[in-house]
Amino acid sequence: GLPISVGKLDLYVAAAGFHPEKVLPIVIDVGTDNEELLADPSYMGLRQKRVRGDRYFAIMDEFVRAVTGRWPQAVLQFEDFQTDAAFA
């Protein structure tokens, strides 16, 4: 989630010298298969089954193209991929 992203950016700022105004945590919500979350009225995530397969990779590819097209020197750090997506 977002706390992991923020914590990783804190590490980049403190240990790697990244300027704090030059980092941005981003969460790409592609849904969940957790039925309890989908039924929870206070759940703030995308209320749909988790996107998988080619559609998932198309979303990720579009994100990477957009970021690197706008900021060619950007460093992208990905966290919390499910195993089936991390090793695809």
Side-chain angles (χ1 to χ4, degrees):
L2 194 56
I4 292 171
S5 299
V6 171
K8 191 69 73 162
L9 295 179
D10 288 344
L11 180 64
Y12 291 159
V13 169
F18 282 58
H19 193 285
E21 291 181 0
K22 300 288 184 182
V23 298
L24 177 66
I26 296 172
V27 174
I28 301 173
D29 187 346
V30 293
T32 182
D33 292 331
N34 183 318
E35 294 296 332
E36 288 181 31
L37 290 177
L38 290 171
D40 184 346
S42 64
Y43 177 59
M44 295 173 60
L46 186 61
R47 291 183 179 278
Q48 70 178 39
K49 292 289 187 180
R50 185 177 184 87
V51 174
R52 299 186 185 283
D54 290 342
R55 187 166 167 232
Y56 171 83
F57 290 111
I59 291 167
M60 298 307 293
D61 288 344
E62 181 179 353
F63 170 76
V64 171
R65 279 194 307 274
V67 171
T68 58
R70 173 61 179 88
W71 297 286
Q73 301 288 325
V75 175
L76 301 176
Q77 167 70 44
F78 293 96
E79 292 286 339
D80 292 347
F81 280 111
Q82 287 189 329
T83 303
D84 63 330
F87 297 103

